[in-house]
Amino acid sequence: HSASRGRLLAGAAAAAIAAAAGATAQTAPPERTIPPTIVTATPIEESDGTGPVRGWQALPTRSATRTTTPIEQVPQSITVIPRTMIDDQGSVTLTDALRNATSVAAQHPTYFNQTLNNRIRGFVAEVYRDGLPAFFDAGMGQSLVGVNRIEVLRGPSAPLFGGGYGGGLGGLINIVSAQPMPTKRYEGGFRYGPYGQINPYFDLNQAVQIAPDGTQLMMRLSGEYMQGHSYLDNVWSTGYQILPSFTIANDRTRLTVNAFFSERRANDYSGLPTMGTLNTSQFTTPRFLNPNGSNVPRTVSQRNGAAFLFEQENAGSWTFRLAGRFTASNMEQPAQYIAGPPIFGSTFLMGNAYLNQDQTQISVLPTIEGRFSPGPVQPVGLAGMDL
């Protein structure tokens, strides 16, 4: 009797387990496959006056071939630093911006605030502004106010830009100026920093239609004032620049005129001697010391002039351009310098120097560009003369 009862209990338990399993199998939710979510977006492109820019990426360049060509189609090492990158990084000087270009050793801004001694791949780099030689970039040559982009070409640049100051070996730095735009735009700002740095600036742009055929007059005025000390003793700099420009343009013809007036005053800094800095076996020289005495007058440099660009399009295939610039630059530099090793102990013999340099520059560049579409290949021809 007890055995049959055990079999009944075991059978009931097995039936209950089976029923529970069946219920579980019936109530389990069916498997679902979630379809993938595909997000597509078109990159936002803006024009900076030279060509389309996608954020920090500039798509075309004019420096490499003197024609508007996509960078990916130019077989040369190129770095383009657009205005968006300059603003986002807060760059103030050309030296700040050129840190984005590899193989470039930029000149320190305390060296007259000019652009003479930049190096690319170890060679002195030729510096151009808007495709024309800059030569003696006096005044506020390091400033980025009124600069639209910076294009760096590495390698021999002689075929299109000549030997020049750098011999066409290391490469070229082309500073592209901001041009008047067809929209209203007003901007102003104020920078300040350590050592009494003060730098107010402004950028005003206005456009009006002056003829029924759509001809526009675009005007732009940029400028800044700068003053401040340095971490170096006896280095106090002040400077300003004014950059007026205008453009008259319709569908086929465009004339742009840019003027520039700038001045900078700063104490000369000739550097420190090896003895006492790199070699401290006998004595140590403070790294912030300026060998120039506090009674030495400041160096004054100025750069004034104007540039123009005339463009005429004919039937969409031919474009004639005539670019030119006149610049008057000067620098008056009184200085003191260390004339050799210490004569005894930590006493050095000092020398006095005075440099007065005046320079005028006239550059003219006529070119004619032809674009042809005979088939899948679209050749571009360019002819010109650099005076």
Side-chain angles (χ1 to χ4, degrees), residues 47-309:
S47 177
D48 66 351
T50 303
V53 176
R54 188 181 298 160
W56 285 11
Q57 179 189 14
L59 303 182
T61 175
R62 285 194 59 88
S63 299
T65 62
R66 290 196 184 273
T67 63
T68 303
T69 306
I71 296 176
E72 62 183 7
Q73 298 180 12
V74 180
Q76 189 171 2
S77 179
I78 302 173
T79 297
V80 177
I81 305 170
R83 187 72 214 186
T84 51
M85 179 182 292
I86 293 173
D87 292 337
D88 290 346
Q89 294 180 343
S91 299
V92 178
T93 64
L94 180 66
T95 299
D96 295 337
L98 287 177
R99 292 193 179 100
N100 295 286
T102 59
S103 306
V104 177
Q107 173 185 284
H108 197 279
T110 58
Y111 185 80
F112 304 148
N113 205 55
Q114 297 169 13
T115 61
L116 289 175
N117 293 318
N118 301 286
R119 294 180 179 271
I120 300 177
R121 295 178 175 174
F123 297 94
V124 178
E126 182 77 13
V127 178
Y128 275 56
R129 285 187 183 269
D130 303 319
L132 296 172
F135 293 125
F136 181 49
D137 233 349
M140 299 284 287
Q142 276 274 340
S143 174
L144 295 178
V145 171
V147 173
N148 190 44
R149 60 162 65 185
I150 303 166
E151 301 190 348
V152 180
L153 310 181
R154 299 176 188 82
S157 59
L160 285 178
F161 292 95
Y165 186 63
L169 298 175
L172 172 83
I173 299 172
N174 186 29
I175 303 170
V176 181
S177 301
Q179 304 297 332
M181 304 297 289
T183 57
K184 297 179 181 179
R185 183 174 180 272
Y186 311 102
E187 179 184 354
F190 185 86
R191 300 187 186 96
Y192 65 93
Y195 304 104
Q197 298 289 335
I198 297 175
N199 181 210
Y201 63 93
F202 63 90
D203 184 12
L204 311 176
N205 191 92
Q206 179 71 44
V208 294
Q209 183 171 329
I210 59 175
D213 62 352
T215 300
Q216 277 191 312
L217 171 62
M218 296 164 274
M219 299 165 288
R220 191 164 188 167
L221 179 63
S222 304
E224 69 173 328
Y225 172 78
M226 178 274 299
Q227 74 172 33
H229 292 280
S230 170
Y231 64 93
L232 302 168
D233 287 344
N234 300 327
V235 175
W236 165 254
S237 61
T238 58
Y240 72 88
Q241 67 171 338
I242 303 295
L243 307 171
S245 61
F246 72 87
T247 296
I248 301 176
N250 56 30
D251 292 340
R252 295 184 179 273
T253 306
R254 187 181 187 90
L255 172 64
T256 299
V257 177
N258 299 313
F260 42 89
F261 309 94
S262 69
E263 177 183 283
R264 181 176 184 267
R265 297 172 178 264
N267 304 82
D268 179 58
Y269 174 68
S270 58
L272 294 174
T274 301
M275 182 62 69
T277 54
L278 299 179
N279 183 358
T280 58
S281 58
Q282 299 182 29
F283 57 89
T284 300
T285 300
R287 297 300 177 94
F288 52 83
L289 179 66
N290 186 354
N292 272 296
S294 58
N295 61 332
V296 177
R298 293 190 295 171
T299 295
V300 181
S301 66
Q302 296 177 332
R303 176 177 175 268
N304 304 309
F308 72 90
L309 174 62

